[in-house]
Amino acid sequence: MAKTTAAGGPANLVIVESPTKTKSIQKYLGKNYEVVASKGHVRDLPKSTLGVNVDKDFEPKYLNIKKQADIIKMLKAEAKGKKKIYLATDPDREGEAISWHLAHILKLDLDDVDRVTFSEITKTGVKEGMAHPRKIDMDLVNAQQARRILDRIVGYKISPFLWKKIQPGLSAGRVQSVAVRIIVDRENEIRAFQPEEYWTIDAKLLAAGSKKAFPAKFYGRDGKKMELRCKEDADKVLAAVKDAPFSVASVKTGVRKKSPAPPFTTSTLQQEASRKLGFRSQRTMAAAQELYEGVELPKLGAVGLITYMRTDSLRISDEARDAAAAYIKEKYGQPYLPEAPRVYKTKSSAQDAHEAIRPTMPELTPDQAKDSLTADQYKLYKLIWGRFIASQMANAEYDTVSADIAAAGYTFKASGFSVRFDGFTVLYEEGRDDAEEKEGVLPPLAAGDSLKTQSVESAQHFTQPPPRFTEASLIKFLEENGIGRPSTYAPTISTILKRKYVELESKQLKPTQLGEITTQLMEEHFASVVDEKFTAQMEADLDKVEEGRKPWNEVLQEFYGGFADTLAKAEENMKDVHMKIPDEETDIVCEKCGRNMVIKTGRYGKFLACPGFPECRNTKRIAVEMPGECPLCGGKILEKKSKKGKKFYGCEHNPECSFLSWDPPIGEKCPVCGKTLLQKSGRGARVYCSNPECDYQRAAAPKKDEEE
């Protein structure tokens, strides 16, 4: 048994980051250990100054964080008299740096073997971590220091420049400025896009003995693809095939196999949670953190339900693979297991310190855990669990058929499939950013078969501009181009939204005027800072520091020399320049002076203001009109916001009309009294009548993510 102190207390102290973990870890380690939390960083660079001596090898000046004073006092008191102190902060660069700072504060020997990491907060994960203590990894610490100092230099040197040249309160960042530039570039592509006309021809055909028509699409002539650029092109084909017989020229059959997606990494988890659950990246990571740190389960107590959620590795342990296989065999049967266990290859640029994100207990289904989880935790656990189990299942198999159909020398194509074996799709299918064209089942067809024409119709189309980025597609782009790391995506997107460089419009990221002006200045004067390739190279250099292949201050030196020159030139070139953010003009006329009002952004969001300020000080709220009518007076229902930013809905004639609701109208009339229906979400979700004298209500249709 471990030795105790003179006071009879635990002889060993374990310091973690989050208080949520302490209960779980304490349970696994027993009474000879005391587990306490640092609540994140305890030291950092000063807020008021740069805190980095650029002339002395970029020596940082770290200070104790003021708001952490009580935590630091507690940690020092707890450390007294302990036989051994273990530093068990998170298993990544940031966690390694926190351990290093704790070692300095507690005056621990950096040569001590006192650093432990937990890939999962389970009995096995904690015991495994404690069994393999090591020294603090200074390569990891230095990679974090280099990143922190790089970000500090960029932020503290460029931000004041932006304050002077555009407006106070702006910020620049090594990753955030690139992200804004990418969004602005996409917006410029959309503006510059010139739509091109094209036409399609679709036939609906009937095979002999079949009552249901199947679709066939125009392909071309004599086996070669043919583009229909205008109505005349389409009309020429229509005229030729209008009364012509359709027949099957050739049929090809085959079997197509579809493999499951690999288990989640940080990036793919954020993308899929955005697509399937509608979660913002920050919401995803918050729920994932809770699942990792531990949830109270009946009979099991506090236990972590997923492995560490900041990873870009696809590796999984043999034990987890075996547990998944056992579950699949029991639940679905032997045919649903692949011939050989699946092993997914991690990208060469990925950090392979951790496993992929997976359930710590594959046998614990989402339904079994549901009563112990919040709504967000349940949805995310279901996503992670389903993806992981499916990743270890057999391929889906489809019987495919494609037919070339001839008419008047022209070729139409039809294709379809039927499921031969559902495989992993019985449980999970990956979401897509783009709409996938649905294929149906074709009737039995053979070369030479005559077909009856039900209809042949042409349709005009125009090519579409590239879509704006969503959070999911931006994260995918950043990852594919090596910009930032998985742990930076959520805070980066949150920052650019908070700073009003970008706004969300129908879940798409749209640059604001401020974002466009700031990006213009950055591109003109700090081109390297917003260059994708330069930023990706910086990430590669930080990885080299982590791997011990490059000194951290060398990375800083290579960056700073050119950066200091660039900043000096920008100061000189823009000495007397101030960039004005143009106002967005509306067609709403100021009733006091007749000018067209403009959109301004204030403390509580956007509002309408007269451009004649200060002569005319007229302002208005921006009204968002909702579907339906006020049940009391028949006026329009407007979306409004409280001072705390919460949406509510009220009559346009308020305060004369008293109608107000926290629940949005859905634009559907009550079948009983004809008034507008409202929808209540969350627990007890229902559709009900806005008329207080009407009792009509019904269950709300489930949201997409609840159906899956």
Side-chain angles (χ1 to χ4, degrees), residues 431-499:
R432 291 173 62 95
D433 287 320
D434 52 338
E436 192 172 10
E437 202 165 293
K438 300 286 184 185
E439 290 181 337
V441 178
L442 294 184
L445 298 173
D449 284 357
S450 293
L451 302 168
K452 189 181 288 185
T453 310
Q454 191 180 77
S455 66
V456 184
E457 295 177 345
S458 64
Q460 183 188 38
H461 307 273
F462 292 91
T463 54
Q464 296 297 308
R468 286 182 179 136
F469 285 104
T470 60
E471 285 202 28
S473 59
L474 179 64
I475 287 168
K476 186 178 181 183
F477 185 93
L478 293 172
E479 183 186 36
E480 287 176 347
N481 289 275
I483 301 163
R485 299 296 297 168
S487 58
T488 65
Y489 299 145
T492 294
I493 292 171
S494 294
T495 298
I496 63 179
L497 286 164
K498 184 181 176 183
R499 297 286 184 185

Side-chain angles (χ1 to χ4, degrees), residues 17 21 41 88-100 115-119 134 136-137 139-145 147 266 285 289 292 308-312 351 353-354 485-488 546:
E17 281 182 51
K21 291 183 200 172
H41 278 276
T89 50
D90 284 355
D92 54 16
R93 285 179 188 170
E94 210 69 29
E96 204 72 18
I98 292 172
S99 279
W100 180 68
R115 172 75 169 121
V116 293
T117 58
F118 308 133
S119 60
R134 57 171 172 80
I136 289 173
D137 186 335
D139 290 331
L140 269 175
V141 173
N142 288 335
Q144 190 275 344
Q145 282 201 100
R147 176 190 291 279
T266 307
M285 294 308 290
Q289 182 94 29
Y292 164 70
Y308 192 56
M309 65 288 158
R310 292 190 180 92
T311 178
D312 48 9
Q351 303 298 304
H354 313 299
R485 299 296 297 168
S487 58
T488 65
E546 179 171 332

Side-chain angles (χ1 to χ4, degrees), residues 383-672:
L383 197 69
I384 292 167
W385 183 88
R387 172 83 160 222
F388 172 69
I389 298 294
S391 77
Q392 299 305 305
M393 293 177 77
N395 291 337
E397 294 183 8
Y398 305 92
D399 289 313
T400 62
V401 57
S402 59
D404 282 3
I405 295 161
Y410 291 104
T411 301
F412 286 72
K413 285 186 178 285
S415 61
F417 73 90
S418 58
V419 178
R420 174 182 280 202
F421 176 60
D422 53 7
F424 74 92
T425 65
V426 71
L427 179 62
Y428 182 92
E429 282 196 76
E430 188 177 21
R432 291 173 62 95
D433 287 320
D434 52 338
E436 192 172 10
E437 202 165 293
K438 300 286 184 185
E439 290 181 337
V441 178
L442 294 184
L445 298 173
D449 284 357
S450 293
L451 302 168
K452 189 181 288 185
T453 310
Q454 191 180 77
S455 66
V456 184
E457 295 177 345
S458 64
Q460 183 188 38
H461 307 273
F462 292 91
T463 54
Q464 296 297 308
R468 286 182 179 136
F469 285 104
T470 60
E471 285 202 28
S473 59
L474 179 64
I475 287 168
K476 186 178 181 183
F477 185 93
L478 293 172
E479 183 186 36
E480 287 176 347
N481 289 275
I483 301 163
R485 299 296 297 168
S487 58
T488 65
Y489 299 145
T492 294
I493 292 171
S494 294
T495 298
I496 63 179
L497 286 164
K498 184 181 176 183
R499 297 286 184 185
K500 304 284 193 268
Y501 293 133
V502 172
E503 60 189 4
L504 275 171
E505 191 175 280
S506 302
K507 295 189 177 180
Q508 295 181 319
L509 296 164
K510 178 187 176 185
T512 60
Q513 297 270 16
L514 176 62
E516 297 200 39
I517 287 290
T518 305
T519 297
Q520 180 190 330
L521 183 149
M522 293 290 289
E523 284 185 312
E524 288 175 1
H525 299 283
F526 302 97
S528 63
V529 174
V530 290
D531 181 74
E532 292 165 32
K533 290 179 181 175
F534 179 81
T535 305
Q537 183 56 52
M538 293 298 301
E539 293 296 341
D541 284 343
L542 290 170
D543 289 344
K544 287 178 184 174
V545 174
E546 179 171 332
E547 293 154 12
R549 296 192 291 123
K550 191 165 188 173
W552 67 282
N553 37 26
E554 186 179 309
V555 172
L556 293 166
Q557 191 62 60
E558 288 173 0
F559 166 77
Y560 190 73
F563 176 78
D565 291 342
T566 299
L567 184 63
K569 285 177 186 174
E571 292 277 10
E572 180 60 33
N573 293 338
M574 291 195 72
K575 192 163 48 179
D576 302 314
V577 178
H578 184 83
M579 299 179 77
K580 187 177 185 302
I581 302 164
D583 291 324
E584 187 179 340
E585 189 175 292
T586 71
D587 57 2
I588 298 168
V589 176
C590 173
E591 65 273 20
K592 293 185 178 179
C593 70
R595 297 179 176 94
N596 277 19
M597 300 190 86
V598 296
I599 296 174
K600 298 271 189 185
T601 302
R603 189 175 172 187
Y604 299 114
K606 292 184 175 182
F607 64 95
L608 292 170
C610 181
F613 183 87
E615 294 85 16
C616 179
R617 296 174 176 266
N618 190 21
T619 61
K620 290 182 179 181
R621 283 187 177 184
I622 295 176
V624 178
E625 191 174 331
M626 301 299 292
E629 296 176 348
C630 171
L632 302 183
C633 72
K636 294 175 184 175
I637 299 177
L638 304 179
E639 178 190 289
K640 303 183 179 187
K641 280 188 180 179
S642 68
K643 286 189 176 181
K644 292 186 177 179
K646 188 176 179 183
K647 288 181 183 177
F648 67 97
Y649 307 90
C651 180
E652 64 175 328
H653 300 129
N654 188 274
E656 290 79 14
C657 177
S658 62
F659 172 71
L660 290 173
S661 169
W662 291 111
D663 300 322
I666 61 171
E668 192 181 322
K669 290 186 176 179
C670 174
V672 176

Side-chain angles (χ1 to χ4, degrees), residues 260-305:
F264 283 126
T265 61
T266 307
S267 164
T268 55
L269 175 63
Q270 291 177 55
Q271 292 173 51
E272 193 77 335
S274 175
R275 294 187 198 105
K276 286 197 165 186
L277 307 179
F279 281 14
R280 298 270 312 280
S281 52
Q282 201 169 30
R283 184 178 175 187
T284 298
M285 294 308 290
Q289 182 94 29
E290 291 161 4
L291 290 170
Y292 164 70
E293 289 181 349
V295 173
E296 284 282 345
L297 295 178
K299 297 180 182 178
L300 294 175
V303 60
L305 294 190

Side-chain angles (χ1 to χ4, degrees), residues 160-445:
F161 182 78
L162 297 179
W163 302 345
K164 288 186 286 184
K165 302 304 171 187
I166 302 178
Q167 70 178 35
L170 301 185
S171 71
R174 201 175 46 83
V175 177
Q176 76 171 54
S177 296
V178 179
V180 176
R181 204 221 76 202
I182 289 164
I183 294 165
V184 169
D185 283 355
R186 177 60 59 88
E187 196 70 18
N188 288 332
E189 281 182 63
I190 293 168
R191 288 177 187 142
F193 182 81
Q194 296 293 324
E196 293 181 6
E197 182 183 7
Y198 70 96
W199 287 70
T200 56
I201 298 175
D202 295 306
K204 287 189 176 177
L205 307 170
L206 280 163
S210 176
K211 293 182 179 179
K212 187 178 179 183
F214 67 90
K217 292 184 174 294
F218 174 75
Y219 178 75
R221 190 180 186 98
D222 302 324
K224 293 181 181 178
K225 189 166 177 62
M226 182 176 158
E227 302 290 343
L228 304 175
R229 297 291 185 190
C230 58
K231 188 175 188 299
E232 289 71 23
D233 291 348
D235 286 347
K236 184 180 176 182
V237 176
L238 281 176
V241 302
K242 184 179 179 185
D243 299 315
F246 278 72
S247 62
V248 179
S250 64
V251 178
K252 286 182 184 177
T253 59
V255 177
R256 176 164 59 90
K257 293 184 178 182
K258 185 177 180 182
S259 300
F264 283 126
T265 61
T266 307
S267 164
T268 55
L269 175 63
Q270 291 177 55
Q271 292 173 51
E272 193 77 335
S274 175
R275 294 187 198 105
K276 286 197 165 186
L277 307 179
F279 281 14
R280 298 270 312 280
S281 52
Q282 201 169 30
R283 184 178 175 187
T284 298
M285 294 308 290
Q289 182 94 29
E290 291 161 4
L291 290 170
Y292 164 70
E293 289 181 349
V295 173
E296 284 282 345
L297 295 178
K299 297 180 182 178
L300 294 175
V303 60
L305 294 190
I306 64 169
T307 53
Y308 192 56
M309 65 288 158
R310 292 190 180 92
T311 178
D312 48 9
S313 170
L314 295 177
R315 178 174 57 81
I316 61 169
S317 69
D318 292 340
E319 293 83 357
R321 191 179 286 108
D322 292 344
Y327 175 84
I328 294 162
K329 187 175 180 180
E330 182 184 344
K331 172 75 175 175
Y332 299 104
Q334 186 68 38
Y336 284 85
L337 283 169
E339 291 180 9
R342 292 191 186 275
V343 178
Y344 294 94
K345 191 176 179 183
T346 298
K347 291 187 302 182
S348 58
S349 60
Q351 303 298 304
D352 198 40
H354 313 299
E355 290 186 57
I357 302 169
R358 62 164 177 83
T360 58
M361 298 177 287
E363 67 278 9
L364 182 71
T365 67
D367 284 345
Q368 289 171 333
K370 187 173 185 178
D371 290 343
S372 302
L373 305 177
T374 65
D376 279 11
Q377 288 170 353
Y378 169 71
K379 289 176 183 177
L380 202 67
Y381 182 67
K382 185 179 179 184
L383 197 69
I384 292 167
W385 183 88
R387 172 83 160 222
F388 172 69
I389 298 294
S391 77
Q392 299 305 305
M393 293 177 77
N395 291 337
E397 294 183 8
Y398 305 92
D399 289 313
T400 62
V401 57
S402 59
D404 282 3
I405 295 161
Y410 291 104
T411 301
F412 286 72
K413 285 186 178 285
S415 61
F417 73 90
S418 58
V419 178
R420 174 182 280 202
F421 176 60
D422 53 7
F424 74 92
T425 65
V426 71
L427 179 62
Y428 182 92
E429 282 196 76
E430 188 177 21
R432 291 173 62 95
D433 287 320
D434 52 338
E436 192 172 10
E437 202 165 293
K438 300 286 184 185
E439 290 181 337
V441 178
L442 294 184
L445 298 173

